């Protein structure tokens, strides 16, 4: 198991022996709360297309971005603000659902005829991309009067955007669920309903780093609220740092080509009765460049409470946390402005009286 920068492990998911692979995932998740994966099943071309798509989405007018409203508390569009002056982000809840992706795309481009052409694109997606790249762009550049080419290019970009989101969502959601199941297997946990009702969510992020922002925080120290996160970082612009829980010191995480970062979140700590580390991390501005990242979150259950399975609880390891749903934990985090794992103290056994009422 190789190390990135001499710190967190890099795990090859094509490891032949399942038991050894599961143990590596478990060890990294307990010790660091994060690790990098290679041979993860998300193609390099799809990763590049997704990054380009997210960059293009962030070029949409501000008024259109605001159409990306919350489905759950705090999961819609986040504009630049006094609290986050360098960071804006789109949110797509239930990203593995084609209906959710269609709704997201419809709100951002408002094209009533798109669904019919989308069926065409599903069959001829490679042809459409080649047509746009090789034919429409050169013709438009050579003859600016041919505005119809610009319209066609934009129209087919909308279709490509939708298809890329769907493909990327499926690939990263499948990866997240596979890793979660491997963690359960490594502990000998057998739950027939494990992951049932656990939706996934995109966060498509853009950092506006300028010369005067170098040395400042792009995103404050926080943990992820869900169970597990798949992060596609920016190979060109770094700045992500994670905390070593054993020492409290920070270390950089650099994005290497064709790798993905896996983070464990608050729900993983609750589910494992404190065994899995909900890694604290932040983003520093280290250079004046635009930074694009894509986070795919496997959340906890929204229709029922989550608690540690019996396999994690015995006389030497008493139950640490009261059952809670994704929405319940999210409300504590947002209502009390607790983002770096402090919300867990409000569901610790004998401290539940401090938990705000969940409507």
């Amino acid at each position: 198991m190789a190390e990135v920068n001499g710190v967190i492990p890099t795990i090859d998911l094509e490891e032949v022996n399942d038991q050894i692979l599961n143990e590596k995932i478990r060890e990294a998740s307990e010790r660091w709360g994060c690790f990098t994966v290679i041979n993860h099943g998300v193609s390099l071309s799809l990763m590049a297309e997704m990054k380009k798509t997210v960059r293009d989405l962030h070029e949409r007018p501000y008024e259109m971005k605001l159409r990306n409203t919350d489905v759950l508390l705090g999961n819609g569009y986040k504009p630049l603000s006094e609290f986050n002056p360098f960071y804006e982000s789109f949110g797509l809840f239930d990203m593995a659902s084609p209906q959710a992706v269609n709704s997201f795309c419809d709100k951002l481009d408002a094209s009533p005829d798109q669904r019919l052409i989308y069926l065409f694109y599903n069959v001829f997606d490679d042809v459409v991309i080649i047509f746009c790249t090789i034919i429409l762009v050169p013709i438009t550049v050579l003859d600016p009067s041919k505005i119809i080419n610009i319209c066609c290019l934009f129209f087919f970009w909308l279709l490509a955007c939708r298809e890329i989101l769907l493909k990327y969502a499926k690939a990263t959601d499948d990866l997240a669920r596979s890793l979660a199941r491997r963690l359960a297997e490594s502990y000998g946990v057998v739950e027939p309903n494990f992951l049932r009702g656990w939706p996934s969510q995109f966060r498509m992020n853009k950092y506006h780093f300028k010369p005067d922002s170098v040395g400042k925080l792009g995103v404050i120290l926080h943990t992820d609220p869900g169970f597990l996160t798949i992060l596609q970082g920016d190979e060109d612009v770094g700045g992500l740092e994670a905390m070593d829980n054993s020492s409290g010191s920070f270390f950089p995480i650099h994005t290497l080509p064709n790798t993905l970062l896996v983070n464990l979140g608050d729900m993983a700590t609750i589910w494992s009765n404190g065994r899995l580390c909900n890694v604290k991390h932040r983003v520093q501005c280290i250079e004046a460049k635009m930074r694009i990242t894509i986070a795919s979150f496997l959340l906890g259950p929204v229709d029922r409470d989550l608690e540690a399975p019996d396999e994690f609880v015995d006389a030497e390891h008493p139950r640490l946390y009261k059952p809670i749903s994704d929405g319940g934990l999210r409300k504590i985090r947002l209502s009390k402005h607790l983002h770096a794992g402090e919300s867990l103290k409000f569901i610790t056994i004998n401290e539940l009286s401090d938990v705000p009422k969940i409507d």
Side-chain angles (χ1 to χ4, degrees):
M1 183 161 57
E3 305 256 327
V4 174
N5 304 318
V7 185
I8 64 171
T10 294
I11 299 177
D12 185 348
L13 296 185
E14 289 188 350
E15 173 77 51
V16 175
N17 187 302
D18 277 345
Q19 182 177 350
I20 294 176
L21 176 57
N22 292 354
E23 289 175 356
K24 289 180 178 180
I25 293 171
R26 170 179 165 176
E27 290 171 4
S29 299
E30 290 183 350
R31 171 62 182 90
W32 299 102
C34 59
F35 52 93
T36 301
V37 291
I38 59 176
N39 293 318
H40 42 67
V42 186
S43 71
L44 186 61
S45 61
L46 181 57
M47 292 170 67
E49 289 170 351
M50 184 63 180
K51 183 176 180 180
K52 173 64 165 57
T53 297
V54 171
R55 186 185 295 114
D56 291 342
L57 283 171
H58 276 285
E59 296 302 315
R60 310 297 283 157
Y62 176 71
E63 295 75 15
M64 191 171 288
K65 293 177 182 179
L66 293 178
R67 299 176 187 172
N68 176 212
T69 53
D70 288 356
V71 176
L72 292 182
L73 185 64
N75 72 356
Y77 174 66
K78 293 183 178 180
L80 298 174
S81 65
E82 183 178 352
F83 184 68
N84 280 316
F86 311 118
Y87 165 86
E88 66 172 316
S89 175
F90 289 106
L92 201 173
F93 175 72
D94 201 15
M95 68 186 203
S97 161
Q99 292 81 7
V101 173
N102 285 335
S103 177
F104 173 84
C105 293
D106 288 344
K107 289 178 181 178
L108 290 183
D109 59 59
S111 173
D113 298 322
Q114 203 173 310
R115 290 177 183 272
L116 293 177
I117 307 300
Y118 171 65
L119 298 176
F120 167 84
Y121 182 83
N122 254 340
V123 180
F124 301 107
D125 54 350
D126 292 334
V127 175
V128 168
I129 292 173
I130 294 171
F131 177 69
C132 289
T133 304
I134 298 179
I135 299 178
L136 287 182
V137 173
I139 290 177
T140 304
V141 171
L142 292 174
D143 188 355
S145 65
K146 295 187 179 296
I147 191 66
I148 185 63
N149 294 313
I150 298 177
C151 296
C152 289
L153 180 62
F154 176 69
F155 182 71
F156 282 118
W157 173 82
L158 293 175
L159 304 179
C161 170
R162 188 182 300 249
E163 179 68 5
I164 290 165
L165 284 171
L166 284 166
K167 287 183 177 180
Y168 189 89
K170 183 179 187 311
T172 54
D173 182 67
D174 287 349
L175 174 59
R177 293 176 188 277
S178 173
L179 292 171
R181 290 189 184 97
R182 287 187 176 279
L183 275 172
E185 290 171 7
S186 75
Y187 289 112
V189 175
V190 180
E191 286 190 84
N193 295 324
F194 186 52
L195 305 183
R196 181 187 66 80
W198 294 29
S200 297
Q201 174 183 326
F202 271 145
R203 270 276 160 219
M204 295 165 277
N205 312 311
K206 179 180 180 180
Y207 296 82
H208 300 255
F209 288 152
K210 305 294 176 61
D212 61 354
S213 59
V214 173
K216 298 179 181 178
L217 280 177
V219 169
I220 63 170
L221 183 68
H222 66 284
T223 59
D224 293 339
F227 186 90
L228 184 149
T229 306
I230 306 294
L231 179 72
Q232 178 178 335
D234 194 318
E235 297 177 21
D236 303 316
V237 186
L240 178 62
E241 296 179 340
M243 178 187 285
D244 180 354
N245 274 3
S246 64
S247 66
S249 60
F250 287 91
F251 56 89
I253 298 179
H254 300 298
T255 300
L256 302 179
N258 205 20
T259 64
L260 293 169
L261 178 69
V262 180
N263 289 342
L264 279 294
D266 292 345
M267 278 292 181
T269 299
I270 295 168
W271 173 82
S272 64
N273 204 37
R275 296 282 292 273
L276 297 174
C277 172
N278 54 338
V279 61
K280 296 178 181 178
H281 51 289
R282 66 188 183 187
V283 176
Q284 294 271 20
C285 175
I286 59 175
E287 55 183 323
K289 291 183 179 179
M290 178 180 67
R291 183 173 184 266
I292 299 291
T293 63
I294 305 110
S296 304
F297 300 93
L298 176 61
L299 306 178
V302 296
D303 59 349
R304 68 185 192 281
D305 289 343
L306 178 72
E307 64 178 342
D310 292 340
E311 287 86 347
F312 291 109
V313 182
D314 56 33
E316 296 182 358
H317 303 90
R319 191 174 298 278
L320 298 178
Y321 306 109
K322 290 285 187 178
I324 194 167
S325 67
D326 174 83
L329 186 63
R330 187 184 302 270
K331 188 165 185 177
I332 295 173
R333 284 174 62 107
L334 294 178
S335 66
K336 294 184 175 291
H337 306 289
L338 302 174
H339 301 286
E342 308 96 332
S343 55
L344 295 188
K345 73 178 182 179
F346 291 99
I347 60 168
T348 301
I349 300 296
N350 298 327
E351 295 188 20
L352 194 63
S353 59
D354 290 329
V355 176
K357 181 180 178 182
I358 308 301
D359 295 328

